[in-house]
Amino acid sequence: MKQWNIVFLILINSLFIQAVRAQNISNEGTEFWAVFPTHDPSRLGGSFSLANITVYLTSKSDSEATVTCGSFSSTQNIPANTAVPFHVPRNEAYIDSAESNQVLNNRAIRISVSPGQPKVAAYAHIYAGARSAASLILPVEALGQTYYSMNYAQANGDGLTNKNFLTLIATEDDTHLRIHLKDGSVQSVTLPTAGDVYEYLPPGQEDLTGVKVDIDPGSTNSCSKRFAAFSGSTALYIGCFSSLDPLYQQLYPTISWGKNYSIIPFKDREYYFRVLAGEDNTTVTINNTSFTLNSGQFYDASTEHTEAMLVSADKNISVAQYSLTQECSGLFGEATGDPEMVLLNPIEFNIREITLFSSNDQSILEKYINVCMKTSATASFRINGNQPTATWTVMSSNPEYSYIQLNITEMSSTLSASDGFNAIAYGFGRFESYAYSAGTNLAANNYLLVNNTITGLDAKDACVGQKSNLKIVLPYLVSEISWQLDAEPEVQGQTTPNAVVNSGSGIILYEYIYAIDSAFADTGIVHQVVVKAERPNQGNCLATQQIYNYSFGVNPIPLADFSASQIACENQGIAFTDLSNSLLPDQPVNKWIWDFGDGGVSTEQNPVHRYTQIGTYNYTVKLSAGLQDGCLSDVFEKTITVTINPSPVIVFDPIPGVCQEAGIVVLTQARETRGLPGRGRYSGTGVTADGRFDPQAAGPGTHTIRYTYISNGCTETKQQTILVSPTPLLTITKTINVYEGGEKQMEATASGTDLTYKWSPAQGLSRDDILNPVVTGTDDRTYTLTITSARGCVITETVTVNVLARIEPANSFSPNGDGVNDTWILKYIETYPRVTVEVFNRYGTRIFYSAGYKAPFDGNSNKQALPAGTYYYIINPNNGRRPVTGPLTIIR
């Protein structure tokens, strides 16, 4: 074995020190107990449809297990990452309602792994026509001594009296239990033999949520006994009165409750949830709203929820999520599926890998898996070895976490990630549904750890050839403790513990060490450990000796290896590729410790490291790889030759804004400052590679200009923005005729933002700072209009004003309708805005009058044609000049 590098070992411990408080057992085990509780059958075709139960077992490695119940027994191989069904006969396992509230001998379903075989995970599924429910099954070592029932309010349906149930299983002989009912009474139950079952059904339709059940503290060996508990409903509605479904979940002991839970919506459906407290004065916070619960009290969120949320508390709580009756469950109307309850796992007790089943029974049409984990680790998540195609959603209430809803078709699905996650699996049929926790780490109150004396890390197994010590974690102080490893003699151990706090439950535990300092030579060997602990009189537990049986395996030392690129630019870094092998087919390497030889370190799988020294140098790179909860490889060293080329350094000064009509702008703001040979080029809208920017081609707006410099294969890019402001638009009449002394308004329209105007010269204008001033006819003159926008963009145009000497009206016209000279035309008369025009007949009668002369005289008076002849006119400019008079002849 390669000698360990002391400095690198210190690095390992500083990066990956694992205290015992982080160690919990999982839902994988070697012994389980399940039950087939009462259900109300559905009525299909006029007859009742009776449900069946199937137990599914999965394992990360090839294993073997036996399922028994009554006279039934079946042993099967469990191939790695495959869900294997065990169909338990209904007549052996089912509990009829008539059998409730009495001890049923050997009615539990026992699951046991063959000696020496790897652990399995267990699930149970109850199904029939229009009925479905499923639960994760907990191993014996995850069971506890205190539970609180989780159910839901009942209502009659299908002509049946539906009830809540609380079903209890003895895992040891002579188990004495207490059921603390809501009326304050306590019901005692004695289960004489392991596998005995007691199903409590209330006399009415009482909601049993919050009913406590525990080991009778006055019974023999009460401090060491465990039992299993299941709760649910025989059938019920949730949300609306329509079809029913049973509820079925194994309860978590209070030691496996946590303080933080994520609730992810069922796919395209609404949900309810409940929060249950085990201690008085528990403060619960949901979406920044807090409330207090006492022991056995629960918060009932029976209003439709569609959003993901986080629930937290200052003491341990239990959280259940409910799907609704299909007629009122869908986001977009009725959806498939019926009521279901799933007990959620706390965020504290997450998993990194699990294989789970997704049953198609009974008539399941849609199957999903919800996953929640830290946002920073979502890229590492895999389902059946592949990244999911669905999209992760960041939780709005806490962006540190994200969730994904996976639509699946497989019966078996393997979930894995480099960091912990929580998951539930669920399915919906037309009138059926099931949901269960995919897996969890559980806060067991006693467990064995193998401490590697070389790495200082705790794990569930030893590492071949590396010396280890043993640790046991207990929930109490001992007066005596002894250890026996395999067939070796029993050894008395030290009774002075290390006190630790379980990270999930907050319970104080005590760690006892057996310093064997031994190395195990062979992999694949399962070693047995028997620990006898003398427990003093404490907490109503009488002094007694507890005997614990544990086993652990010996895993191979992983092989670390890597490859690396050899040439890089100063601003990019050398890419390292992990090639390590855990030598365990079902457990890939998931921990890495890198030392890059220049003081830099990393814990990423495939890091990119920047070496700062320019030139060609040799670096000795070290890598140790292994498993987060397993063995770590020897330090693998490799000397790599690295060439680091200098990277350009660019300064790109701000670019002043330009107007759209400014013409070509030559950009000079970007430059390389290290003097490296190479070439630079611009890119972006409206710019050429050599930096010629055309604002007309780019158009108005803000444009991003990039400058990239390439030197010896190394590039650097920086960018700036340039603002192109639109030039004002102008439409103008360029020539204006006006009689001497007359007035006329300039004819112009303009568009733009915050425009200002300037006419030059100002002589003869009413104002020189508006768009349409009035010009007075004094002299012929050319005016220049300059329009400026708020951003300084300018447009200019000229207007020529021609001044006519005086009014010279025509002395005749012929209104005969031939389209020629039909009206009396007074050219440019509009330049006299206040002019009046009058026409009289020979008798002095006024036959026409106009102020401004907008409608020319057409030879008619009062809509009657005037006879041909001579008439007399008076045109008064009303500007101080003399009126113009004379004869006017109408020719017919």
Side-chain angles (χ1 to χ4, degrees):
M1 181 183 296
K2 196 170 186 179
Q3 189 68 29
W4 283 82
N5 183 299
I6 299 300
V7 174
F8 196 57
L9 182 58
I10 294 174
L11 169 66
I12 292 173
N13 281 287
S14 65
L15 292 176
F16 284 98
I17 189 69
Q18 292 186 357
V20 67
R21 65 179 61 93
Q23 297 291 332
N24 296 305
I25 65 173
S26 74
N27 62 291
E28 297 174 310
T30 58
E31 183 183 14
F32 308 78
W33 293 90
V35 71
F36 190 1
T38 301
H39 80 95
D40 294 319
S42 64
R43 184 184 288 116
L44 294 177
S47 61
F48 288 114
S49 178
L50 303 179
N52 294 293
I53 189 169
T54 296
V55 172
Y56 290 85
L57 302 183
T58 69
S59 179
K60 297 175 183 175
S61 306
D62 292 345
S63 188
E64 182 185 80
T66 300
V67 175
T68 60
C69 182
S71 63
F72 168 77
S73 180
S74 175
T75 301
Q76 295 190 62
N77 292 324
I78 315 297
N81 302 322
T82 303
V84 176
F86 291 75
H87 302 290
V88 181
R90 175 186 172 90
N91 61 347
E92 296 285 353
Y94 179 67
I95 302 173
D96 190 86
S97 60
E99 299 177 294
S100 64
N101 301 315
Q102 59 183 297
V103 176
L104 304 176
N105 180 254
N106 197 25
R107 190 63 66 87
I109 301 169
R110 184 172 184 260
I111 304 159
S112 57
V113 175
S114 300
Q117 293 293 310
K119 295 178 178 181
V120 301
Y123 310 89
H125 187 203
I126 298 171
Y127 57 91
R131 292 288 187 265
S132 180
S135 178
L136 173 74
I137 307 301
L138 304 180
V140 168
E141 56 264 34
L143 302 179
Q145 297 186 316
T146 303
Y147 299 85
Y148 284 84
S149 189
M150 185 75 82
N151 309 79
Y152 201 78
Q154 290 293 143
N156 288 336
D158 282 357
L160 302 170
T161 302
N162 316 114
K163 294 177 180 289
N164 280 187
F165 65 77
L166 176 59
T167 308
L168 313 173
I169 305 172
T171 64
E172 301 179 42
D173 294 347
D174 193 30
T175 298
H176 296 261
L177 305 177
R178 301 182 305 175
I179 303 175
H180 302 263
L181 299 175
K182 289 189 174 182
D183 62 6
S185 64
V186 177
Q187 180 173 320
S188 297
V189 176
T190 298
L191 302 175
T193 308
D196 288 350
V197 173
Y198 185 91
E199 179 175 87
Y200 175 72
L201 288 183
Q205 291 185 296
E206 178 185 354
D207 185 347
L208 296 182
T209 301
V211 169
K212 177 182 176 181
V213 58
D214 60 5
I215 295 284
D216 187 340
S219 61
T220 304
N221 294 328
S222 63
C223 297
S224 62
K225 278 191 169 61
R226 307 165 190 249
F227 69 101
F230 291 76
S231 69
S233 168
T234 61
L236 82 172
Y237 309 107
I238 296 181
C240 56
F241 293 94
S242 180
S243 56
L244 304 91
D245 229 15
L247 304 182
Y248 171 67
Q249 286 282 288
Q250 181 165 11
L251 295 171
Y252 294 113
T254 55
I255 59 172
S256 291
W257 292 10
K259 296 182 174 68
N260 301 282
Y261 292 79
S262 60
I263 307 179
I264 308 305
F266 298 112
K267 180 67 174 176
D268 296 330
R269 289 163 174 83
E270 300 171 330
Y271 69 90
Y272 293 169
F273 68 95
R274 282 184 170 184
V275 180
L276 173 62
E279 298 181 53
D280 290 342
N281 298 314
T282 298
T283 300
V284 180
T285 302
I286 304 173
N287 292 342
N288 297 319
T289 300
S290 297
F291 51 88
T292 300
L293 299 174
N294 289 327
S295 176
Q297 290 184 338
F298 62 91
Y299 171 76
D300 189 5
S302 293
T303 56
E304 291 79 6
H305 294 274
T306 59
E307 75 283 8
M309 64 177 64
L310 292 177
V311 178
S312 61
D314 63 344
K315 298 177 183 178
N316 290 338
I317 55 175
S318 179
V319 177
Q321 183 178 2
Y322 301 85
S323 66
L324 311 183
T325 296
Q326 46 99 10
E327 287 191 0
C328 55
S329 66
L331 294 180
F332 312 106
E334 181 176 332
T336 57
D338 255 352
E340 183 58 297
M341 172 177 72
V342 57
L343 293 180
L344 303 179
N345 297 124
I347 292 174
E348 299 94 307
F349 304 149
N350 51 39
I351 54 175
R352 287 192 174 91
E353 183 176 13
I354 192 67
T355 297
L356 53 93
F357 90 99
S358 295
S359 176
N360 295 324
D361 297 326
Q362 172 72 32
S363 304
I364 295 298
L365 303 175
E366 304 173 50
K367 300 189 296 186
Y368 302 98
I369 297 173
N370 285 353
V371 180
C372 180
M373 65 187 305
K374 288 187 175 181
T375 304
S376 59
T378 54
S380 71
F381 181 81
R382 298 291 186 274
I383 178 169
N384 297 326
N386 301 312
Q387 285 189 320
T389 56
T391 302
W392 289 90
T393 300
V394 177
M395 294 186 68
S396 58
S397 57
N398 188 344
E400 183 181 356
Y401 290 92
S402 293
Y403 70 91
I404 194 170
Q405 298 166 310
L406 303 172
N407 184 202
I408 60 171
T409 58
E410 297 84 358
M411 287 283 288
S412 296
S413 300
T414 299
L415 312 181
S416 61
S418 63
D419 201 359
F421 59 85
N422 293 84
I424 63 170
Y426 55 101
F428 298 113
R430 184 65 184 93
F431 299 103
E432 303 86 7
S433 60
Y434 68 82
Y436 64 90
S437 169
T440 179
N441 285 327
L442 300 163
N445 60 4
N446 67 77
Y447 46 90
L448 182 77
L449 298 171
V450 180
N451 176 257
N452 190 308
T453 62
I454 295 177
T455 64
L457 304 179
D458 293 334
K460 61 183 179 180
D461 295 309
C463 302
V464 66
Q466 295 181 356
K467 290 184 177 182
S468 298
N469 290 323
L470 301 179
K471 296 180 178 180
I472 186 174
V473 178
L474 299 173
Y476 54 82
L477 294 167
V478 304
S479 57
E480 293 183 15
I481 189 169
S482 67
W483 301 75
Q484 185 178 23
L485 175 61
D486 296 328
E488 297 177 3
E490 185 175 324
V491 176
Q492 292 298 312
Q494 295 292 325
T495 58
T496 302
N498 296 319
V500 295
V501 178
N502 185 281
S503 61
S505 66
I507 296 174
I508 296 177
L509 303 174
Y510 302 95
E511 174 191 270
Y512 296 89
I513 300 175
Y514 177 30
I516 59 174
D517 199 29
S518 297
F520 299 92
D522 298 313
T523 60
I525 303 298
V526 177
H527 295 271
Q528 304 298 323
V529 181
V530 178
V531 180
K532 297 178 182 179
E534 192 75 25
R535 179 172 188 167
N537 187 354
Q538 181 180 7
N540 293 324
C541 283
L542 300 177
T544 184
Q545 185 184 71
Q546 310 294 333
I547 300 176
Y548 301 95
N549 292 278
Y550 300 105
S551 62
F552 65 89
V554 180
N555 288 335
I557 302 298
L559 297 177
D561 191 11
F562 67 87
S563 63
S565 58
Q566 295 180 320
I567 301 176
C569 296
E570 181 185 7
N571 62 353
Q572 295 172 339
I574 295 293
F576 291 85
T577 302
D578 170 56
L579 304 174
S580 302
N581 188 342
S582 70
L583 302 181
L584 294 172
D586 58 334
Q587 298 182 59
V589 168
N590 60 11
K591 177 166 65 178
W592 303 268
I593 304 101
W594 296 85
D595 180 345
F596 298 112
D598 66 341
V601 296
S602 176
T603 58
E604 297 179 9
Q605 180 179 8
N606 298 307
V608 174
H609 180 66
R610 290 180 61 180
Y611 290 98
T612 59
Q613 200 164 1
I614 296 173
T616 301
Y617 296 93
N618 293 329
Y619 294 94
T620 299
V621 179
K622 301 174 184 179
L623 170 64
S624 187
L627 304 177
Q628 293 283 359
D629 57 353
C631 299
L632 199 63
S633 73
D634 294 332
V635 178
F636 175 71
E637 295 185 2
K638 182 188 289 187
T639 299
I640 61 173
T641 301
V642 173
T643 299
I644 302 298
N645 293 320
S647 296
V649 175
I650 295 174
V651 172
F652 199 164
D653 296 329
I655 306 174
V658 297
C659 296
Q660 189 175 358
E661 302 296 331
I664 300 299
V665 177
V666 178
L667 302 179
T668 60
Q669 287 79 10
R671 57 196 179 278
E672 200 281 324
T673 62
R674 299 181 73 174
L676 298 179
R679 60 188 179 88
R681 56 185 299 122
Y682 290 89
S683 61
T685 303
V687 68
T688 61
D690 60 354
R692 297 173 61 82
F693 179 71
D694 184 352
Q696 185 66 46
T702 300
H703 303 281
T704 299
I705 306 296
R706 295 175 180 84
Y707 183 73
T708 301
Y709 196 88
I710 304 173
S711 175
N712 196 26
C714 296
T715 64
E716 176 75 1
T717 298
K718 286 194 175 181
Q719 64 185 41
Q720 284 284 5
T721 59
I722 183 171
L723 175 63
V724 176
S725 299
T727 300
L729 298 178
L730 175 63
T731 302
I732 195 168
T733 300
K734 295 180 64 64
T735 301
I736 292 178
N737 296 309
V738 58
Y739 280 113
E740 182 180 5
E743 296 177 344
K744 189 170 186 179
Q745 190 173 36
M746 296 291 193
E747 299 173 350
T749 59
S751 61
T753 303
D754 296 333
L755 302 180
T756 59
Y757 309 95
K758 187 66 178 177
W759 290 87
S760 179
Q763 184 178 358
L765 299 177
S766 60
R767 289 181 61 176
D768 65 353
D769 57 354
I770 60 175
L771 178 62
N772 303 107
V774 173
V775 60
T776 300
T778 56
D779 298 296
D780 293 344
R781 189 174 289 114
T782 297
Y783 291 93
T784 300
L785 171 62
T786 300
I787 301 178
T788 305
S789 72
R791 297 189 181 277
C793 297
V794 176
I795 187 172
T796 61
E797 193 59 83
T798 60
V799 176
T800 298
V801 175
N802 298 316
V803 177
L804 306 179
R806 61 187 179 86
I807 299 175
E808 295 181 356
N811 56 14
S812 66
F813 71 103
S814 57
N816 54 13
D818 63 357
V820 179
N821 203 26
D822 282 338
T823 60
W824 186 32
I825 300 301
L826 302 178
K827 199 172 182 180
Y828 305 124
I829 192 68
E830 69 274 8
T831 64
Y832 294 93
R834 294 183 296 278
V835 69
T836 58
V837 178
E838 297 175 284
V839 179
F840 302 88
N841 60 19
R842 67 176 66 185
Y843 306 110
T845 301
R846 190 171 71 181
I847 61 173
F848 175 82
Y849 173 81
S850 175
Y853 203 64
K854 294 179 180 179
F857 178 44
D858 59 1
N860 294 318
S861 179
N862 295 323
K863 299 183 180 180
Q864 298 294 322
L866 296 170
T870 300
Y871 297 83
Y872 183 77
Y873 62 83
I874 300 173
I875 300 174
N876 189 353
N878 289 314
N879 61 356
R881 292 181 176 272
R882 291 186 305 169
V884 178
T885 61
L888 171 62
T889 301
I890 296 177
I891 302 172
R892 296 287 184 181

